[in-house]
Amino acid sequence: MTPTLPADHRELISDLSGIVSDYPYADPQSTLAVLADDAAEALGRVATPAGHRERTGYTLLLHATCWYVCARIFSKSLVASYIQALDGFRAQLDRASCTCPAGAHPARLDSEYEVEAGVSMLTEAGRAAFAEDYGLDEEESAVFDCEGFLADLADEALVRLHEAHRELFGGIDVSHLDAQFVRDDGRLDVVAMQEAIRRSWEDNTGPVALWSARRWLTGQVRDEERIGLFLCLWMGIAQTYEGLPPSYARDLAAALATIDLDVSCEHPQHPWSSADSNVQSRYRAVVHLYAPEDHPDTPVPAELSARELWECPVQYAQLARAALQNLEGWRTMRGGDDEDWED
C-alpha cells in the first residue's frame, strides 16, 4: 500500500506551511504554542524509537518556525517555550557522532519543505511517504536523523531566539543618537531627526521614536522644542506600519501618558490637521517650523502657522490619542500577554 500521512499531520503541514510562508490562516500564536508544548512532551520519550523520530521531527519544525516566533509574535512565553524545547533536544545531540560525508547535510532548507519534512519525520508512515514523494534513498533519508545536522539546526534556532528575546523585551540602547540629534549648545536638531525618520529604509523610525520618548520623559527639552520633539515621537509611531515590540512600546506609552487628554479649546483647526497624512507632507511641515529659511515649502497655511496653535494642548491630545490607538493596534496584531507589553 502507498504510505500516507495521518489526517491530523496533513492538517498540521497545511497550518504550519501557511505560517512560515507568512500567510497564516490558523491562529499563529496558538498553533505554535501547541507545537512547542508537543515538542516538550516528546523530550520524555527520546529513549524510545518513537521518541527518536520525534526528536528529528520537532527539531526540524522548531527550526522552520522560529523565525516567525521572533519576527511576528511578541510573546515572552512562546519564545521561552521554544528555547526550553530546543535546549532539551540540543542536550541529547552529539555533534561529534556525525559520520555523514561532506556536503551530505541539507543546506538552507526551504521553510515549507522543512515543515513537510518535520511533520513527516514524526512517524514511520510519514517518513515512508516523504521518501517516496521526494525520491529519497535510504542514505538520503537517514541524514535527517544525523545528530550533527540536528545540532546545527538547534544551535541556529537558539541563537535567533535569544537575540529576539533581547530585542523584543530587553532594553534598547539608543544613546548613540545623542551625537546626531543634540547640538553642541544642548539644543535639539529637529531637522536632523526628521531626516532620520524619512530614511525609513534604514529602519530609523523606531529608534527615533524611542529616543524622542526618552528625551521627553527626562524633561531635557526647551519650550520651543516641545512640539518638534513630540511630532518626531508621533511620526516614529505612525510610520512604523508593522508595529514596534514591547522593548520600544513601553517607553512610548509612558511618554504619551504625560499628555492630558481631557482638554478643550476654541480653535476651529490646528496646524497638524492641515498636513496630508503622508511622510513627505509631514516632513515639510516640521522642517519648515524649525528651519523656515532652509525649508520654505510647507503644507500648513499661514493662518494656521501661529505658534499658539502649534502648542495648543488640544493638538497634543489629538496626537496622543492617535498614537495610543496605534500602540493598541500593535498589541492586537502581534499578540503576547499584557505583562509582556507593560513590564
Side-chain angles (χ1 to χ4, degrees):
M1 295 180 61
T2 302
T4 59
L5 280 170
D8 59 332
H9 281 193
R10 291 197 299 271
E11 182 179 358
L12 180 59
I13 289 175
S14 178
D15 290 345
L16 295 179
S17 293
I19 290 171
V20 299
S21 63
D22 216 7
Y23 288 98
Y25 41 87
D27 178 64
Q29 185 168 345
S30 61
T31 300
L32 297 178
V34 170
L35 175 64
D37 289 344
D38 290 346
E41 288 183 13
L43 287 168
R45 300 189 291 268
V46 72
T48 68
H52 186 78
R53 291 192 295 269
E54 289 176 329
R55 181 179 67 183
T56 297
Y58 283 122
T59 300
L60 285 164
L61 291 173
L62 294 174
H63 177 267
T65 57
C66 75
W67 78 265
Y68 197 95
V69 172
C70 296
R72 297 288 187 264
I73 305 174
F74 300 158
S75 169
K76 276 185 182 179
S77 61
L78 184 56
V79 172
S81 295
Y82 262 62
I83 290 174
Q84 180 181 8
L86 284 163
D87 275 338
F89 288 130
R90 182 64 183 87
Q92 301 167 358
L93 297 169
D94 179 11
R95 182 179 280 107
S97 69
C98 172
T99 58
C100 300
H105 294 170
R108 296 183 180 179
L109 291 169
D110 174 83
S111 293
E112 291 188 65
Y113 174 82
E114 191 174 5
V115 161
E116 185 178 356
V119 175
S120 300
M121 295 295 140
L122 296 173
T123 63
E124 283 291 357
R127 286 168 175 249
F130 185 78
E132 183 172 301
D133 288 345
Y134 287 94
L136 303 180
D137 60 28
E138 188 174 341
E139 289 185 359
E140 290 171 323
S141 295
V143 168
F144 285 101
D145 291 313
C146 172
E147 293 192 22
F149 169 60
L150 295 175
D152 287 343
L153 294 183
D155 286 344
E156 182 179 317
L158 284 166
V159 167
R160 190 167 194 170
L161 287 159
H162 282 295
E163 289 177 350
H165 190 278
R166 290 191 294 271
E167 293 172 1
L168 297 179
F169 309 109
I172 304 297
D173 184 10
V174 290
S175 60
H176 62 282
L177 295 178
D178 292 355
Q180 297 181 40
F181 301 152
V182 182
R183 295 190 176 102
D184 292 340
D185 61 2
R187 295 180 180 276
L188 301 186
D189 191 340
V190 176
V191 173
M193 296 167 69
Q194 285 293 306
E195 292 286 355
I197 292 174
R198 198 165 63 152
R199 296 195 301 274
S200 58
W201 59 89
E202 296 180 3
D203 295 324
N204 283 330
T205 50
V208 173
L210 182 59
W211 187 89
S212 301
R214 289 178 178 169
R215 189 80 181 189
W216 181 272
L217 289 168
T218 63
Q220 295 178 286
V221 51
R222 293 173 170 82
D223 288 345
E224 65 272 16
E225 298 167 341
R226 282 176 55 81
I227 187 59
L229 181 64
F230 195 77
L231 286 173
C232 289
L233 162 62
W234 187 91
M235 291 166 70
I237 294 172
Q239 292 165 202
T240 305
Y241 305 111
E242 294 186 354
L244 291 168
S247 53
Y248 286 78
R250 289 189 294 264
D251 285 343
L252 301 180
L256 295 171
T258 66
I259 303 300
D260 185 359
L261 302 181
D262 187 20
V263 291
S264 62
C265 71
E266 297 180 354
H267 303 139
Q269 192 177 8
H270 297 92
W272 199 242
S273 63
S274 66
D276 294 333
S277 57
N278 60 65
V279 175
Q280 183 61 25
S281 181
R282 291 166 176 168
Y283 166 81
R284 286 163 44 217
V286 179
V287 297
H288 173 80
L289 182 64
Y290 281 89
E293 294 182 358
D294 296 331
H295 303 275
D297 185 23
T298 174
V300 178
E303 63 271 18
L304 293 177
S305 62
R307 201 69 182 211
E308 174 191 1
L309 294 174
W310 278 107
E311 297 288 351
C312 178
V314 171
Q315 178 165 256
Y316 279 96
Q318 292 171 345
L319 292 166
R321 288 192 193 96
L324 288 168
Q325 287 180 354
N326 281 332
L327 264 62
E328 188 60 34
W330 297 348
R331 293 177 62 158
T332 301
M333 175 174 57
R334 295 304 184 193
D337 300 319
D338 288 344
E339 55 266 29
D340 296 341
W341 292 88
E342 297 168 0
D343 286 351

